[in-house]
Amino acid sequence: MRQILVKTERCLGCKSCELACSAIHSGSKDFLAAVLGGERSVRRVTVETNRENTVNIPVQCRQCREPKCVSACMTGAMYLDEATGLVLNREEKCVGCWMCVMVCPYGVIVPNEEEKKAVKCDQCLSGGHDPACVKACPTGAIEFIEISQFDKKRKQEFLTKFIAGEEA
Amino acid sequence: MRYVIIGNSAAGVFAAETIRGLDKSGQIEVVSNERYPAYARCLTSYYLTGQMSDEQMMIRDADFYDRSNIILNSGQKVTGLDTAASKVFTDTGHVYHYNKLLIASGASPVMPDIPGVGMKGVFGLRTLDDAKEIAASARQGRHAVVMGGGLVSLKAAYALMKAGLSVTCIVSSGQILSQMLDREAARILGDLLTGHGLDIRFYTDAAEIIGEEIAGETVARGVRLTSGETVPADIIIIGKGVTPNTGFVAGSGIETDRGILVNDYLETTVPDIYAAGDVAQSVDILTGQRTINAIWPNAAEQGTVAGRNMAGSPAVYQGSMSMNSADFFGLSTIAAGNPRAEGDEYEVVRLFPGPGLYRRLVFRGDRLVGYIMVGNTGRAGILTSLIRERVPLGTARDELKQGRIGQRILW
Amino acid sequence: MENLKKTIDTAAGKMIAKAATEGIETVWDRFEAQQPQCGFGLTGLCCRHCNQGPCRIDPFGDGPQYGVCGADADLIVARNLLRQVAAGAAAHVDHAYEAVETLAAAAGGSAAYSVRDRDKLLAVAGKLGIETENKSETDIAKEIVGIARSDFGNHSGSPIKWLVATAPEERVATWSKLGVLPRNPDREIREALHQTTMGMDADPVNLILATVKQGLVDGYAGLQLGTDIQDILFGIPSPVVAEANLGVLREDHVNIVVHGHEPMLSEKIVEWAHKLSGEAQAVGAQGIQLAGVCCTGNEILMRQGVDMASNFLAQELAIITGAVDAMVVDVQCIMPSLARVAACYHTKIFTTSPIVKMPGAEHIDFTLDEADRKAEEIVRKAIENYRRRDRSRVDIPDVKTKMMAGFSVEAIVAALAKLDAGNPLKPLVDNIANGSILGAVGTVGCNNVKVAQDSFHVNMVKELVKNNILVVTTGCSAQALAKAGLMTPEATEKYAGDTLKAVLTAVGNAAGIGAPLPPVLHMGSCVDNSRIGDLLTALAGYLKVSIKDLPVAASAPEHQHEKALSIGTWAVSLGLLTHLGIVPQLVGGKKVTEILTGDTAESLLGGRFYVETDPIKAAHGLIEHIKSKRKALGI
């Protein structure tokens, strides 16, 4: 199962992922059209930074294996999809009670007040499971990749640096 | 293995699902006194608006029971247990034999002891049948009285207002949502609701329900208040809290207090019998005392934990926590933990970051123990998690007091 | 990116393929590498004016709504727009200033330059109120230079003289009422930079008015001043026939491509190419083939009939033919990549302006004093470089089209005078009034890699002429339309609506062409947009209405440059509906966008911007506008 993973040292905090997320979830799915049309599109990712502003990281749904939002959901809208491992919200069932918002430890479920729907990252499943934030990242900081692969690449990078004497 | 689950709501369904996930072959029987597949109990108030279909009320797909190989025995009320023989008896004469039993029988509305509560037009609001009856009456009625200022009452009042009724809310204390909010937050919400036409009467209570005889039936027509005034009403909804449905365990050897007492594994005092949800009195994460936090998320989690233990995959319940979320006219309000705490051992910070926005944070020592957020509640879950995980705050405490977590602003 | 999404020009398509085979990076590769482009920049919501930033405003409302200093979305957008338009105006004004300097040199007895067009000299002197009787051309020229320079040295509050001498009174009054009449082009541009620094103007509306003022600076101290003076120096264009597209390059000739915007150098290159063609034969070539890219190409096409190589997006592709021995550049729109591309071939890039240098290019500092010597040096070096050409790598696409150009206002009036000598505008106006010509649209501006090269120009214009709209054009738009074959009599037969066809045929026959005029009239370079302004002024004057009431519109279908925004702002200020085919970087400011594209601009100026990214829809938007103007005129 691929996950959205971040190389934080590459994140410049440009927020392109945020805009791409808003755009892909707008009616037109087109950034400029959405802005021109005055759409109030809700994004599912926020670029966070540490206290020193030295590390940036786009944060979106962590797709918990034991999701608090699913047990808190009183309508049965939120569920853990076994096939994809994603936590998904059936918007037609969601009434906007914000119980999921209340329990999400990462604060990444967004209350869409206008539509009265909780919105969250579904890794762009409906758009072919090809996350817009990943495509939008100009530095390649956000990857959609198997965790094992990500680990492997990280190890290789470390060893390359280690051999070059750059890493103590 | 034979599993029997009494109750078909949050705790029962999550338990059944969890068991099925761990035990593919065991027999799972759910016994329910209601006549529907599992539905969203908390949506019953939404149902009153007349804009929810029955199908929308269901928390699982139509084929859920078949697909999961769970037998649903609906319309059967459990009347007693024989714990020695591992049997469950119902009012329909059915007897269920179990190896593992889960009691998730929930709770029922408390009806006040005043004249007229039995009249037609007087309702508790707990079940889908209650909701259907109220909704049917609402189509003809014009005035509604809601007794009680708790969340169920207010959500019902809100729904009836949306359905076009004029609604009076009777609150015996001086504030709405007195279990959930402090005075400040309650004032903001109260102003919002009255601004939209809700008539709230504080410091008064219903003395009796006044009715009239129509076709051999006494039909409610109004509520006389302790103040002497009479408020006309076609519909009267009682929202004075709930009481756990423990009647059938009497004499079974299962120890009860307010509800059924359970240990960290959600097991009752009788082996192989578990309890979860609004009927179970389990440990509270903040106080360490056994108490009932009768809310859906706790019930669902307890169902999951109980299910694991029943299916032989031991799990410890971390404890329940009080929390709730309300949204009236687009103003979201969330409170969790012990938000109303006062006193020397607590530090309370109140923030008013903007119009219609309010934050109350309650600290005890280095921990956050409660909060109230009115408006822009998107980051509430982080606070809930700080309370639940009892995170030592360190320097983050000062940030929180300014309404921030790191660089995240809480509004 | 598929090739069809890159260009509709088959010559360009072939060269893109060649570049790919040879592993040479072009503008399309770089555009692709730049994806995704930053949404904050795309919407104009990024501010880098002070070092507390960069600040960004979230266009969807989730994130911050104010920059560090407190500026909101509209303020940031308005400040950015003013800077862009001021920069565009600066480019045109600097260009015009060079022309003035050249006229000063000519009047001062320069051997290289002289007054070539007495008619224009007198016409310009006339509008400036210069007494010409019994004065020598040199003296008149000196007085004209004096007035131009006095605008740049104007320290009073009075408006730019060139503007007052050129623009219709009604417009001057309108601008005066809005307080946007510019005084001194340099001062206004300086003020715009000041106005947009940190802690200055916080009122988006005031900034938009300042932007309008920059549009007028551009229109009158840039475009108008430049064209007027250049016509005096190099002649008023008259109809010429030439060829367009990369196929004009010749395998057996020394190929010199001139690229940029000013005619001062390129005119000299034309002269020296003629003079030195014998030397080309000495190195084994048949002669020297000149070809233009961008507006410097338009300048020498209009006046000298020099063939056109291509437009903005194809500048690298000209080199990729392998057949260009020298590319001589002056100012503006010169891709910094040219030297890198040229390094893959024998091609030499000659930079000539002290403010346009490029690592990897040879810089020959072109000055008015040494104009001939420098032009000669460049042509000689080009000839010399022909020897180094690697014939195995030459592949000139066999694609070129015939075209007519040279439609200055004077040339158009002359053609119409063949129908009615006493009243030349009458036949045009009559045909507009009777609906044979529904209206006119001026298409101008650049290519932009965001749309397939030329596609917007060509598709929109075909739709317009089909609906009996006469199209006048300049700049890269003109080059796109020429390459698409729209500047030929055959195009009138093929694309024009029936009534437009009849009118163009009648005018063509009367003018002695023996065929219809093309449905698209090439009026010159970007600064020659002033010619469109002159034509509109003449028509409005003839009809005794305001320009804003005419059944006309403007369009910059593929604009990329800041200059295009300045021209567009001027067009809106003139009272024109001005279409932009690519969303400008300002839509993050809702109020600013509304003002510029909505009723506010229209009520104050008579014109407004109109953003539409589909060429056919845009054509119909323009047609609807023209119809509404016709209705208001009662025709």
Side-chain angles (χ1 to χ4, degrees), chain B residues 389-400:
Chain B
E389 306 303 333
R390 295 191 237 180
V391 179
L393 296 173
T395 54
R397 192 163 178 275
D398 286 335
E399 290 175 357
L400 271 174

Side-chain angles (χ1 to χ4, degrees), chain B residues 137-297:
Chain B
S137 310
R139 278 194 286 277
Q140 291 134 32
R142 287 183 297 140
H143 301 283
V145 166
V146 176
M147 287 169 57
L151 197 52
V152 171
S153 304
L154 288 184
K155 282 167 76 177
Y158 180 64
L160 290 173
M161 284 163 74
K162 291 213 145 179
L165 278 74
S166 72
V167 184
T168 301
C169 183
I170 315 261
V171 184
S172 53
S173 72
Q175 113 169 44
I176 57 168
L177 297 170
S178 56
Q179 303 290 309
M180 172 179 171
L181 303 180
D182 65 352
R183 286 203 159 266
E184 197 55 55
R187 186 190 57 74
I188 297 171
L189 260 66
D191 286 353
L192 179 72
L193 289 164
T194 51
H196 281 87
L198 179 64
D199 173 26
I200 307 179
R201 309 288 179 89
F202 290 110
Y203 296 116
T204 186
D205 218 333
E208 78 169 300
I209 291 163
I210 295 163
E212 72 180 310
E213 267 325 291
I214 295 174
E217 227 179 349
T218 317
V219 180
R221 277 290 167 255
V223 179
R224 191 171 58 76
L225 304 180
T226 49
S227 61
E229 189 189 353
T230 299
V231 182
D234 313 304
I235 298 166
I236 295 155
I237 297 177
I238 313 272
K240 304 288 279 184
V242 294
T243 184
N245 294 326
T246 55
F248 60 89
V249 303
S252 64
I254 296 172
E255 211 173 304
T256 61
D257 175 29
R258 272 203 63 223
I260 295 172
L261 291 166
V262 290
N263 63 15
D264 285 350
Y265 301 94
L266 303 181
E267 200 169 9
T268 67
T269 47
V270 175
D272 297 331
I273 301 182
Y274 297 77
D278 293 0
V279 75
Q281 192 171 338
S282 64
V283 71
D284 180 281
I285 226 164
L286 280 177
T287 61
Q289 306 292 310
R290 281 191 283 188
T291 183
I292 303 177
N293 286 312
I295 55 167
W296 184 278

Side-chain angles (χ1 to χ4, degrees), chain C residues 432 543 545-546 549-551 627-635:
Chain C
I432 293 173
L543 287 166
V545 297
S546 167
D549 301 321
L550 296 173
K627 284 182 176 168
S628 73
K629 289 291 175 188
R630 294 184 64 92
K631 204 173 161 194
L633 282 171
I635 57 174

Side-chain angles (χ1 to χ4, degrees), chain A residues 18-19 21-22 41-47 110 119, chain C residues 58 62-63:
Chain A
E18 293 186 1
L19 295 189
C21 183
S22 290
S41 181
V42 178
R43 59 177 155 81
R44 286 94 161 124
V45 59
T46 304
V47 179
V110 185
V119 297
Chain C
D58 183 339
D62 291 334

Side-chain angles (χ1 to χ4, degrees), chain A residues 48 51 53 93 97-98 102, chain B residues 58 325 327 384 399 408:
Chain A
E48 305 280 357
R51 287 179 172 78
N53 295 332
K93 288 198 79 74
C97 70
W98 316 138
M102 177 174 74
Chain B
M58 301 304 145
S325 163
D327 189 310
T384 306
E399 290 175 357
R408 286 185 177 199

